Amino acid sequence: MKRWMLKIGVFLLIALFPSFALAHFNHPELNWQIVETPHFLIHYHQNTKNFAHQSAQIAEELYEKLTSNIGYYPREKIPVVIENIDDKTGGYTTIFTNKIVIQAKSDPLRSSGNLSWLEEVLAHELTHYISFAAIDESIVPLRKMMAHLAIPMWFIEGLAQYLGEEWHSLKQMSVADQARENKIMSEGDLGAFYFFDGWGRMSGYYQSNSFVRYIFETYGRDKISEIHNNLGKQPLLRVVGVIDITGGAALYPIPRFVNFDQALRETLGKDTLQLYQEWRKWVMEKHKLKEDEIDFLLKKPAILLGNRAQSPTFSPDGNYIAFASNKDYDFAIFDLYLFHLSTEKIKKLVSGINTYFSFSPDATSIVYSKTDFYSPSRSFLSDLYQIDLSTGHTKRLTYAERAFQPVFSPEGDKILFVKKEGGNSNLYYLSLKTGKVSPLTFEDDGLTQNFSPAFSPDGESVVFVRFAENRRNLYILRMEDKKIHPLTEGDGDDRNPVFSPDGKRVLFISDRCSPQKINREVFNLWSLELETNRLTKHTQVDGGVFDPAISPDAGKIALSGYREEVFSIYIFPFDKIISQEFPLEDEFEDEKNEQQDHITEGQKEIIAEVAQEKEPVRTKTYPYSPSLKLHYIFPWFSISETESFFSLDFYASDVLEKHGLMGSLYLSRDTQYEFFYVNRSFEPTLWINMYHKEGRSTFKEKTFPVEITGQAAGVYYPLNNKISTQLTYFQEELKTHLFTRALEPVPWEGSIRALKGELGYSNLLPTRDSETLPRGKKLYLGVEYSDRQIGSDLNYLAWYAHLNNYFKLSDNTSFAVRLAGKRIETQDEPRPVFSLDGWRELRGYPQHFLDEAAGENLLLGSVEYRFRLQERMGGSSFFYLDSLGGALFFDAGVTWLEEENLKKKRIYKDAGFEFRLRMLPFGKYSSVLRFGMAWPFDYDNRGRFFIMLGGIF
């Protein structure tokens, strides 16, 4: 046992619950159902029925394609969980609990191509599920665990995209740009990209897709199943025998990592590095620009702020551009900014918004969407807000409407917006006079998306993008009769439409190209003349342009352009851009003329057109009833002369994890165990814990046995997305040492009965280096009460407080402060005390020296100036060196007994520096190696070198 067992912390030996996993909310109000198909169990709750049935149909259509490609058919029906609680989008696959989770809210702007968002995300996650099932589907998933570690991230995610997604224009844009800039990631980078910042992570996904696509388009798609079959048959264990020349022997079973390179060599004849070099050479050559193809349009941005400056919007008076930027953040977190066109000054207006917003017609305010915690539903939902530009005052306009992309009407009396729910996106409008919210479109099939609306100058029409029947095209809605008509057709991805100020054109972004081309083009600016239906292409960029905005006087046009891994705002004379016309190929001209004829023939309303009929999947629906299923069990053993042991770890839960049971058993000379049950069927969460631990502890370089047997129960309740509470009752039978007033250890055996209350607060922002350069603060307060009246052999009242505060100074530097305090009040003799020895932050002192610094009160403080020197240092997919940084620090700590005067107590102080090397083993985990020097102020005046793993506050 570690030294901390001498302190009051011994009474809670184990982390009884993952305390303060903030913003994890139970939703007992949800009524869950199951749609069962031949191969799937689709779990859904109210308001997602249509989405769930679409999922069932699509999943069965994907099943044969994916299983045949991977060469494996899972033994059991695959659980899929559909959630529609928060305004988040995406999905994930759990490797060891064997299920797929899909969020029933799509964001069509995050993708491209002809696949529906549901089909894309479901195919992606189903590929993950079947791939790992092909390697190991046993209840003892040691091979799956070894494979999960050994298979590089580029293959895992690249294969899911290759089999589950299209090669669409956003991927083409990113990979081509990085190839031109000679920024194709190394093989090691591609194995660790999940830890990069926002667009770096997305680039890693896209390049992984290109890499895997190259492999199987070059060597044959049949190699997918051969690779998985090879991984599933490789030897997994080896037994190592040790013989001592003085007598004695031992046998140790050692897990053998699944060898991914071996699988590649035996199926493709080449290893990872050879394949990577082939692909890199190919992709660099493929995207090399000829001299006459160089883009001179996106050369000098007007606004370069962060690596994602997007959604430019002109003010009605033409003096300002509002835009969104992720400056100050590592990921896609956006703030709203105002750019003065004359002075070029930039002012931040609002933090943490959703992109796309609108000026009021009188230019006095901006309406925007913001995702925040909504207490009544305990969910993260998006609503509309309005900011007064003169006062900075903000006003909330909607509540729990799940509202995005707001647009003021020209009269300023209503706001058009997009509502995303249950897999659909629909157009709604808010009357500012009455506050009433009314729908304009009524999609409820779980698939169709209506988004990116824009009013005509006269307010009589709305142009928007509609994704339906696997196409993204422009449509127009007449406000008078609510009739909807198509404006464009074809396979192009049309997006971001806006009317010209005279109302005669619709300008939009598209990746349209000749149907004869295999790959679509990148996104360029197009226009459609409403009278003639004439399509014109106005830009020919090699990066991509998005979000067109036109000044009220039609003098300027602003675009968000992508180049060199950065989105920036570009401003051009409108006449210059609109007068540019790039020729369309003959094949596309024919398609365009057919489209014009179709539209001219009567502006048919095709909203209700019937898709090609598919054979319906056989299903049955019934209520969900939770039942525990054993997900995995990990037995392990070792036989030796000195110590033999057997261990067992397991986890069981129902599909929705309303009930969970985990356990750990260790059998050797002593028996140790821990069993933990959690119930999330209610709010709050309930849990029970049983444990027995044995070990040793030290004090003043003496060693003492420790034995503890306990039971605990508690409730965990998050008050909101930042504050959580927990109440625990525990009882323990304890054999250890406590202390006299002279701090002499005394053997002690007895019972502890106690109550513990905790309060936690956290507002940490997501950062790329969350261990070394976090942002925000964490606060923990706790009180623990034990008394003979509740059956305890000790009377005490203990208090705890911890505060960590992290301040960003620049992109690569920060300032961190840590304060901690503990106090215990007791009249018992012997008694528990606190010691500084367990606090590794007094880095200038030897540990055995600090364990003598003990008392009933403790204060500790540390301050650090932190810096990052280098990132993406390199390595392999197996072991990657991510970043090197460090810190200059000062630590101080003191303990004292109740009868002592704090002013006369010695305060231990040190200062020094350390370097921090962030490593990414297997590209899936993060660990920080720390090494440095610390000088104590009053010990031996010598610097102390230290090296440790993790433990950064």
Side-chain angles (χ1 to χ4, degrees):
M1 287 290 176
K2 298 182 182 292
R3 296 184 184 94
W4 55 262
M5 290 205 64
L6 290 172
K7 298 170 283 296
I8 195 65
V10 69
F11 303 141
L12 273 179
L13 178 65
I14 1 178
L16 301 177
F17 189 80
S19 298
F20 311 120
L22 296 178
H24 177 83
F25 303 98
N26 300 337
H27 287 275
E29 76 281 2
L30 298 180
N31 178 24
W32 289 88
Q33 302 281 314
I34 297 177
V35 179
E36 184 174 357
T37 73
H39 300 104
F40 295 89
L41 297 170
I42 312 291
H43 300 68
Y44 71 96
H45 57 79
Q46 56 264 43
N47 301 324
T48 57
K49 180 179 178 180
N50 291 344
F51 188 85
H53 282 272
Q54 290 284 7
S55 300
Q57 180 75 36
I58 291 172
E60 286 294 341
E61 292 169 3
L62 291 168
Y63 186 82
E64 181 58 36
K65 169 196 167 186
L66 296 177
T67 50
S68 60
N69 273 291
I70 297 170
Y72 185 80
Y73 293 82
R75 295 197 297 259
E76 297 182 344
K77 294 188 178 185
I78 301 172
V80 178
V81 179
I82 306 297
E83 293 182 349
N84 188 30
I85 302 166
D86 300 295
D87 276 344
K88 58 186 176 183
T89 187
Y92 62 88
T93 301
T94 61
I95 300 300
F96 296 109
T97 54
N98 301 311
K99 67 180 176 182
I100 294 171
V101 179
I102 302 296
Q103 308 297 333
K105 186 190 83 69
S106 66
D107 187 352
L109 289 174
R110 287 177 54 182
S111 188
S112 184
N114 292 333
L115 293 180
S116 69
W117 175 85
L118 174 56
E119 184 176 0
E120 185 175 280
V121 70
L122 194 52
H124 184 111
E125 300 306 330
L126 189 53
T127 301
H128 285 324
Y129 187 101
I130 299 172
S131 295
F132 280 98
I135 295 170
D136 184 6
E137 206 176 2
S138 69
I139 200 66
V140 184
L142 184 59
R143 181 183 299 277
K144 184 186 290 187
M145 181 176 71
M146 295 293 102
H148 180 251
L149 293 176
I151 300 176
M153 185 67 77
W154 63 261
F155 186 82
I156 294 173
E157 294 299 342
L159 182 65
Q161 292 178 86
Y162 175 59
L163 293 181
E165 303 177 12
E166 291 182 318
W167 181 257
H168 55 62
S169 294
L170 293 178
K171 297 178 181 180
Q172 171 78 8
M173 175 188 80
S174 176
V175 174
D177 175 78
Q178 288 165 325
R180 288 191 298 268
E181 300 299 323
N182 196 25
K183 291 182 178 179
I184 292 295
M185 294 181 181
S186 69
E187 188 273 333
D189 289 345
L190 288 175
F193 71 83
Y194 195 77
F195 287 88
F196 296 166
D197 57 13
W199 193 254
R201 180 184 294 180
M202 190 62 68
S203 299
Y205 272 103
Y206 292 165
Q207 290 184 43
S208 296
N209 189 359
S210 176
F211 188 9
V212 170
R213 181 172 293 273
Y214 169 81
I215 292 173
F216 295 118
E217 295 298 328
T218 302
Y219 294 90
R221 188 175 282 218
D222 59 309
K223 301 300 181 184
I224 299 174
S225 60
E226 291 183 26
I227 289 172
H228 284 87
N229 186 53
N230 187 294
L231 292 169
K233 291 183 177 180
Q234 289 182 18
L236 188 61
L237 289 176
R238 56 183 175 179
V239 178
V240 177
V242 178
I243 300 176
D244 193 326
I245 59 174
T246 62
L251 290 174
Y252 298 98
I254 304 296
R256 179 185 183 272
F257 280 104
V258 172
N259 193 320
F260 181 69
D261 264 359
Q262 176 184 322
L264 293 183
R265 284 192 298 268
E266 293 180 1
T267 56
L268 304 177
K270 297 178 181 179
D271 62 17
T272 295
L273 189 57
Q274 291 171 307
L275 290 168
Y276 169 78
Q277 290 170 342
E278 268 187 30
W279 165 72
R280 181 183 175 88
K281 180 180 179 181
W282 172 82
V283 79
M284 295 290 288
E285 186 64 31
K286 175 180 173 63
H287 297 294
K288 184 185 296 183
L289 285 178
K290 298 176 183 178
E291 190 171 342
D292 60 350
E293 295 177 329
I294 296 176
D295 171 25
F296 293 100
L297 184 67
L298 303 182
K299 286 297 182 183
K300 187 178 180 182
I303 304 173
L304 177 59
L305 195 71
N307 58 19
R308 294 187 67 175
Q310 298 177 222
S311 310
T313 305
F314 281 96
S315 61
D317 56 15
N319 294 327
Y320 294 91
I321 287 181
F323 68 98
S325 171
N326 73 333
K327 181 184 181 295
D328 296 329
Y329 307 105
D330 290 342
F331 298 99
I333 302 172
F334 291 94
D335 296 338
L336 176 62
Y337 290 86
L338 200 61
F339 174 75
H340 196 286
L341 286 162
S342 298
T343 65
E344 298 188 354
K345 290 184 178 180
I346 296 176
K347 176 184 178 182
K348 184 163 77 171
L349 298 178
V350 183
S351 297
I353 67 159
N354 299 316
T355 52
Y356 301 103
F357 29 81
S358 177
F359 278 94
S360 61
D362 59 7
T364 61
S365 66
I366 294 176
V367 63
Y368 61 92
S369 168
K370 183 182 180 73
T371 303
D372 213 339
F373 182 71
Y374 185 64
S375 295
S377 62
R378 300 182 68 74
S379 302
F380 291 88
L381 301 177
S382 298
D383 277 296
L384 302 185
Y385 295 78
Q386 188 174 3
I387 180 171
D388 187 298
L389 295 178
S390 60
T391 65
H393 174 73
T394 59
K395 176 184 177 182
R396 186 167 187 167
L397 301 179
T398 65
Y399 293 85
E401 285 295 342
R402 314 189 83 160
F404 298 83
Q405 301 178 339
V407 182
F408 264 109
S409 65
E411 299 83 5
D413 60 337
K414 54 181 163 290
I415 296 172
L416 186 65
F417 66 91
V418 176
K419 182 169 184 172
K420 302 180 183 181
E421 189 174 22
N424 290 111
S425 299
N426 278 294
L427 303 184
Y428 279 69
Y429 68 87
L430 166 70
S431 170
L432 292 177
K433 293 180 180 178
T434 66
K436 183 180 178 182
V437 172
S438 305
L440 288 174
T441 63
F442 302 88
E443 316 295 351
D444 64 353
D445 60 2
L447 292 176
T448 304
Q449 311 289 330
N450 297 321
F451 58 100
S452 296
F455 272 104
S456 61
D458 58 13
E460 295 180 0
S461 302
V462 173
V463 64
F464 63 98
V465 182
R466 184 169 189 263
F467 182 88
E469 305 300 332
N470 295 330
R471 290 184 174 184
R472 302 166 188 255
N473 292 123
L474 304 187
Y475 286 74
I476 195 166
L477 180 149
R478 310 296 181 187
M479 292 295 291
E480 183 178 4
D481 56 13
K482 307 299 186 293
K483 294 291 185 180
I484 297 174
H485 306 282
L487 289 181
T488 62
E489 288 185 334
D491 290 333
D493 183 345
D494 301 336
R495 56 177 68 199
N496 305 135
V498 292
F499 280 94
S500 60
D502 59 10
K504 296 180 179 180
R505 293 176 185 256
V506 171
L507 286 90
F508 63 99
I509 301 300
S510 182
D511 64 354
R512 290 170 171 269
C513 65
S514 163
Q516 305 304 316
K517 290 186 178 180
I518 297 176
N519 292 323
R520 287 193 173 108
E521 295 183 352
V522 297
F523 287 96
N524 276 285
L525 179 68
W526 292 69
S527 72
L528 172 70
E529 292 182 10
L530 294 176
E531 260 190 48
T532 64
N533 297 310
R534 179 172 179 264
L535 280 169
T536 306
K537 183 180 179 183
H538 297 288
T539 64
Q540 185 68 55
V541 298
D542 55 41
V545 293
F546 303 88
D547 306 335
I550 308 167
S551 62
D553 62 358
K556 300 182 181 70
I557 183 170
L559 299 163
S560 175
Y562 177 78
R563 188 179 181 84
E564 299 180 13
E565 299 185 280
V566 174
F567 290 86
S568 303
I569 306 296
Y570 296 82
I571 303 174
F572 305 103
F574 179 73
D575 289 342
K576 175 185 175 182
I577 296 298
I578 209 69
S579 64
Q580 294 182 150
E581 296 187 9
F582 292 86
L584 309 180
E585 298 185 28
D586 293 339
E587 296 91 345
F588 186 79
E589 285 287 346
D590 293 338
E591 180 191 26
K592 181 193 69 175
N593 292 333
E594 290 175 10
Q595 173 190 308
Q596 290 174 357
D597 293 342
H598 170 77
I599 295 176
T600 306
E601 282 175 1
Q603 298 282 2
K604 289 172 111 182
E605 184 178 354
I606 65 166
I607 289 302
E609 71 178 0
V610 179
Q612 183 177 356
E613 288 191 13
K614 301 174 183 177
E615 184 178 346
V617 173
R618 290 181 292 107
T619 65
K620 62 178 179 178
T621 304
Y622 50 88
Y624 171 76
S625 178
S627 60
L628 285 182
K629 177 184 177 181
L630 183 62
H631 296 301
Y632 62 78
I633 182 170
F634 282 113
W636 203 253
F637 67 93
S638 177
I639 302 173
S640 71
E641 186 177 21
T642 55
E643 183 182 26
S644 301
F645 71 86
F646 171 79
S647 67
L648 187 69
D649 294 277
F650 70 88
Y651 178 66
S653 77
D654 64 303
V655 172
L656 300 179
E657 296 188 81
K658 291 178 175 291
H659 304 269
L661 177 65
M662 63 194 76
S664 180
L665 177 66
Y666 178 87
L667 299 177
S668 184
R669 289 192 181 95
D670 51 39
T671 299
Q672 302 187 54
Y673 61 83
E674 177 183 7
F675 300 103
F676 185 86
Y677 167 74
V678 60
N679 187 322
R680 296 188 178 92
S681 301
F682 312 101
E683 193 75 273
T685 298
L686 312 176
W687 55 266
I688 300 172
N689 195 210
M690 300 174 62
Y691 48 92
H692 175 80
K693 297 288 184 179
E694 296 181 25
R696 306 192 70 79
S697 185
T698 60
F699 184 73
K700 296 185 178 179
E701 302 187 62
K702 295 180 181 180
T703 303
F704 311 102
V706 178
E707 183 177 341
I708 179 173
T709 301
Q711 304 84 40
V715 293
Y716 165 79
Y717 185 73
L719 300 177
N720 55 38
N721 60 312
K722 295 182 175 65
I723 303 174
S724 292
T725 61
Q726 183 164 263
L727 180 64
T728 304
Y729 169 78
F730 60 90
Q731 56 185 37
E732 298 175 339
E733 302 300 321
L734 186 66
K735 294 180 182 178
T736 185
H737 281 66
L738 297 180
F739 298 88
T740 67
R741 295 194 179 275
L743 291 180
E744 292 297 326
V746 177
W748 189 86
E749 181 176 345
S751 298
I752 303 296
R753 304 289 187 271
L755 286 169
K756 185 172 185 177
E758 300 168 277
L759 178 71
Y761 170 86
S762 175
N763 68 346
L764 295 181
L765 288 170
T767 62
R768 183 187 185 280
D769 291 337
S770 56
E771 300 99 332
T772 56
L773 292 175
R775 289 181 61 188
K777 68 178 64 175
K778 294 189 299 182
L779 173 66
Y780 163 78
L781 301 174
V783 59
E784 190 173 309
Y785 169 76
S786 177
D787 193 276
R788 288 185 174 85
Q789 293 183 359
I790 57 175
S792 180
D793 291 333
L794 275 182
N795 285 331
Y796 65 83
L797 182 64
W799 306 83
Y800 311 82
H802 301 259
L803 171 66
N804 293 356
N805 211 349
Y806 311 100
F807 306 90
K808 179 178 178 179
L809 301 179
S810 70
D811 288 341
N812 293 308
T813 60
S814 69
F815 186 71
V817 178
R818 177 184 185 175
L819 297 173
K822 292 186 175 184
R823 174 179 172 82
I824 186 166
E825 300 173 4
T826 181
Q827 300 298 319
D828 287 346
E829 186 79 16
R831 54 185 169 169
V833 296
F834 302 118
S835 170
L836 288 174
D837 73 325
W839 299 82
R840 301 168 68 188
E841 302 307 329
L842 285 168
R843 288 157 272 192
Y845 296 88
Q847 208 70 18
H848 69 83
F849 178 79
L850 287 176
D851 73 5
E852 299 182 25
E856 292 131 322
N857 302 276
L858 179 147
L859 287 175
L860 180 80
S862 295
V863 294
E864 290 190 349
Y865 170 75
R866 299 177 175 180
F867 52 88
R868 181 169 53 207
L869 298 171
Q870 189 175 353
E871 58 183 355
R872 294 197 195 180
M873 299 173 64
S876 68
S877 297
F878 191 77
F879 189 79
Y880 188 81
L881 300 180
D882 179 60
S883 61
L884 177 65
L888 304 176
F889 61 82
F890 171 79
D891 307 317
V894 61
T895 59
W896 69 98
L897 296 171
E898 189 62 30
E899 58 271 19
E900 294 180 313
N901 188 336
L902 174 60
K903 294 181 179 179
K904 297 180 180 180
K905 286 296 294 182
R906 176 183 182 180
I907 299 177
Y908 297 89
K909 300 181 289 291
D910 64 35
F913 68 91
E914 68 174 68
F915 292 100
R916 294 166 177 172
L917 179 62
R918 190 188 194 211
M919 305 170 292
L920 305 177
F922 313 109
K924 302 175 182 70
Y925 305 96
S926 176
S927 183
V928 180
L929 178 66
R930 305 167 59 188
F931 51 96
M933 293 285 292
W935 286 265
F937 284 21
D938 53 2
Y939 177 56
D940 53 12
N941 297 319
R942 289 186 301 175
R944 174 176 171 262
F945 175 78
F946 61 88
I947 183 168
M948 62 183 75
L949 196 64
I952 301 172
F953 74 81

